[in-house]
């Protein structure tokens, strides 16, 4: 957290990681077979998403960004689902509130590991959460509160089997980044010293004697030169100026350090340093492709199963059971209502025109659908078609049907 707040390189790296993971927000796409029901589910969830934050600071999309930042900085993020009269609400709690010091065995084969309680079958059943941070100014000692696991969303990317708590993604670069700051400070000081020119008088033949004098302080002759000065030196006196060499080859060394930090963070170098010198379309695309592949792994392997899918199920279940959404067949086929696909926003392209052409080609070849392409832009297909119809446009399917006739 200190490096994120004070190191400009890591601050940018964290921001770029969070932006790549969730962008403006990952939106749901219901998979119910009935189009009208899909639209109703989307509208109900979006209405809830506007009031999702229990603290009233932001909405669900803002909470996604906060969780993504916590995932990078702390290696994990905790969200508590709070049941209210208006439906479930989500509150992000700092990871240090889940008591890491609590580790012990329980009767019946259960254990508590770093504040996470497991039953005899190694299933997470509860989290032990402190009511306040231990370092808060007005904090008093209070035992942790046991909260059932179905009310806690624990988001982290495990590095090994059986891992209980997350590890900061900045861990591989904490030491190099901490050393990089004093290195830059030392180089900056060296440049400042190099700018303070000093002159040395050399008596080349030892005959100058006392012919050149000035004010002395501590054995140093203080006779400065002003811009435009023409000063005549006595015979046999030469002047040489210092030429510090500390700043030579500094640029290559600094770039090597930045490349090391970028590699440890799993980022393309320009997303850390912001330097696009010598970059072109091909090099940018080659550098971004493996990074985007890594981002998709985390989106679909971590964010969706640990955060987004549980939220959808709890919100839709509450909406249906509360009667806010009419669903007479919910008990008969609950999977139709709870099935949902989360499509992250598409990455911004260096050449958007080429990407649109590729999207159209994939859709015409049957490799994707309009629904997925529209969802990747953060919209709902039904809403988009309704807006196009209101403006006099017709959906491609309608145009194709007319052409077929």
């Amino acid at each position: 957290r200190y490096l994120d707040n004070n190191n400009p390189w890591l601050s940018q790296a964290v921001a770029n990681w969070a932006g790549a993971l969730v962008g403006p927000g990952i939106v749901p796409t219901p998979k119910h077979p009935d189009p009208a029901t899909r639209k109703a589910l989307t509208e109900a969830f979006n209405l809830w998403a506007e009031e999702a934050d229990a603290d009233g600071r932001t909405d669900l999309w803002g909470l996604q960004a906060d969780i993504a930042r916590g995932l990078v900085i702390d290696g994990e993020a905790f969200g508590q689902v709070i049941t209210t009269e208006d439906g479930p609400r989500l509150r992000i709690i700092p990871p240090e509130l889940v008591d890491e010091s609590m580790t012990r065995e329980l009767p019946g084969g259960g254990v508590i590991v770093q504040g996470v309680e497991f039953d005899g079958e190694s299933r997470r059943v509860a989290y032990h959460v402190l009511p306040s941070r231990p370092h808060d100014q007005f904090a008093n000692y209070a035992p942790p509160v046991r909260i059932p696991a179905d009310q806690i969303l624990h988001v982290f990317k495990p590095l090994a089997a059986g891992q209980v708590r997350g590890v900061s993604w900045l861990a591989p670069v904490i030491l190099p980044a901490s050393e990089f700051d004093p290195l830059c400070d030392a180089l900056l000081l060296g440049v400042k010293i190099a700018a303070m020119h000093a002159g040395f008088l050399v008596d080349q033949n030892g005959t100058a004697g006392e012919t050149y004098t000035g004010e002395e302080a501590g054995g140093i002759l203080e006779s400065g030169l002003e811009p435009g000065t023409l000063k005549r030196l006595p015979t046999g006196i030469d002047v040489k100026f210092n030429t510090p060499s500390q700043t030579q080859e500094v640029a290559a060394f600094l770039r090597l350090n930045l490349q090391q930090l970028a590699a440890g963070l799993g980022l393309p170098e320009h997303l850390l340093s912001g330097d696009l010198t010598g970059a072109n379309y091909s090099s940018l695309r080659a550098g971004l492709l493996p990074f985007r592949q890594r981002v998709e792994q985390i989106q679909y392997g971590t964010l969706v199963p640990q955060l987004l899918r549980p939220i959808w199920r709890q919100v839709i279940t509450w909406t249906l059971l509360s009667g806010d959404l009419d669903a007479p067949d919910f008990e008969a086929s609950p999977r139709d209502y709870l099935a949902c696909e989360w499509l992250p926003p598409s990455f911004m392209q260096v050449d958007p025109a080429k990407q649109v052409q590729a999207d159209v080609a994939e859709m015409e070849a049957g490799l994707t659908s309009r629904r997925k392409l529209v969802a990747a832009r953060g919209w709902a297909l039904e809403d988009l078609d309704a807006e196009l119809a209101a403006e006099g446009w017709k959906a491609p399917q309608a145009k194709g049907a007319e052409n077929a006739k």
Side-chain angles (χ1 to χ4, degrees):
R1 292 181 188 178
Y2 173 84
L3 290 174
D4 172 57
N5 292 327
N6 297 277
N7 188 297
W9 315 106
L10 295 193
S11 178
Q12 174 162 255
V14 170
N16 284 331
W17 253 120
L21 287 174
V22 299
I26 305 178
V27 299
T29 302
K31 300 180 69 175
H32 195 281
D34 180 43
T37 303
R38 287 199 303 266
K39 182 178 180 180
L41 290 171
T42 302
E43 292 177 350
F45 185 84
N46 289 338
L47 185 63
W48 171 87
E50 295 177 358
E51 307 293 335
D53 187 7
D55 297 325
R57 298 178 301 108
T58 181
D59 53 17
L60 177 63
W61 325 124
L63 291 175
Q64 289 182 13
D66 292 341
I67 290 174
R69 283 183 56 84
L71 192 61
V72 178
I73 298 173
D74 299 311
E76 60 185 354
F78 291 90
Q80 181 181 0
V81 181
I82 302 173
T83 302
T84 68
E85 295 180 355
D86 299 323
R89 295 292 184 264
L90 184 62
R91 171 175 291 150
I92 298 177
I93 57 178
E96 61 267 24
L97 290 186
V98 179
D99 193 358
E100 293 183 346
S101 64
M102 180 176 287
T103 299
R104 64 171 182 259
E105 295 182 355
L106 298 175
V111 294
I112 300 177
V113 181
Q114 296 180 333
V116 183
E117 182 178 338
F118 297 85
D119 62 10
E121 298 181 1
S122 298
R123 294 175 299 189
R124 295 176 184 243
V125 294
Y127 289 81
H128 294 261
V129 181
L130 295 169
S132 61
R133 292 185 178 93
H135 57 270
D136 283 350
Q137 182 176 2
F138 301 104
N140 296 318
Y141 172 77
V145 179
R146 185 181 185 274
I147 300 178
D150 58 1
Q151 298 179 20
I152 297 291
L153 301 174
H154 186 191
V155 185
F156 77 101
K157 184 179 183 298
L159 303 177
Q163 183 175 339
V164 177
R165 300 290 296 268
V167 179
S168 173
W169 296 8
L170 306 183
V173 299
I174 286 178
L175 291 179
S178 299
E179 295 293 336
F180 189 69
D181 275 347
L183 168 63
C184 293
D185 293 340
L187 291 174
L188 179 59
L189 181 60
V191 172
K192 289 181 179 180
I193 295 176
M196 301 170 62
H197 294 289
F200 301 89
L201 298 178
V202 180
D203 188 354
Q204 295 180 338
N205 50 23
T207 60
E210 300 295 332
T211 57
Y212 186 70
T213 60
E215 297 181 2
E216 291 190 9
I220 300 176
L221 186 63
E222 295 181 348
S223 179
L225 296 177
E226 296 180 358
T229 299
L230 296 176
K231 196 160 188 174
R232 183 176 181 179
L233 297 178
T235 303
I237 294 294
D238 188 18
V239 177
K240 293 185 178 180
F241 292 95
N242 64 324
T243 56
S245 59
Q246 294 96 322
T247 58
Q248 296 179 3
E249 302 297 330
V250 167
F253 182 66
L254 290 178
R255 183 168 186 180
L256 178 62
N257 279 267
L258 289 175
Q259 289 173 342
Q260 179 187 16
L261 295 178
L265 292 167
L267 284 170
E269 182 190 352
H270 71 275
L271 292 182
L272 175 71
S273 65
D275 183 12
L276 292 173
T277 303
N280 54 42
Y281 178 80
S282 299
S283 63
L284 286 175
R285 188 171 180 82
L288 288 173
L289 286 179
F291 170 67
R292 291 174 176 175
Q293 186 179 45
R294 180 177 297 186
V295 169
E296 289 183 349
Q297 285 181 338
I298 300 171
Q299 288 172 335
Y300 290 106
T302 300
L303 292 178
V304 170
Q306 297 180 11
L307 174 66
L308 302 176
R309 191 179 297 149
I311 288 178
W312 170 267
R313 291 178 176 176
Q314 292 201 35
V315 172
I316 296 304
T317 300
W318 180 88
T319 302
L320 295 175
L321 295 180
S322 64
D324 290 348
L325 185 64
D326 186 20
D329 59 337
F330 172 62
E331 295 183 359
S333 56
R335 297 180 64 89
D336 290 341
Y337 289 88
L338 300 181
C340 175
E341 188 174 12
W342 292 86
L343 298 175
S346 58
F347 294 101
M348 299 181 67
Q349 300 296 325
V350 179
D351 190 345
K354 291 184 178 180
Q355 184 60 41
V356 171
Q357 294 176 1
D359 291 342
V360 173
E362 287 188 0
M363 187 171 60
E364 292 178 348
L367 300 177
T368 188
S369 63
R370 280 188 71 235
R371 178 175 298 278
K372 290 187 176 182
L373 293 178
V374 170
R377 287 166 169 78
W379 307 323
L381 180 62
E382 290 78 13
D383 294 341
L384 178 62
D385 287 343
E387 291 183 13
L388 293 178
E391 295 176 358
W393 290 76
K394 292 184 178 180
Q397 292 87 341
K399 292 183 179 180
E402 290 182 0
N403 293 335
K405 292 179 180 180

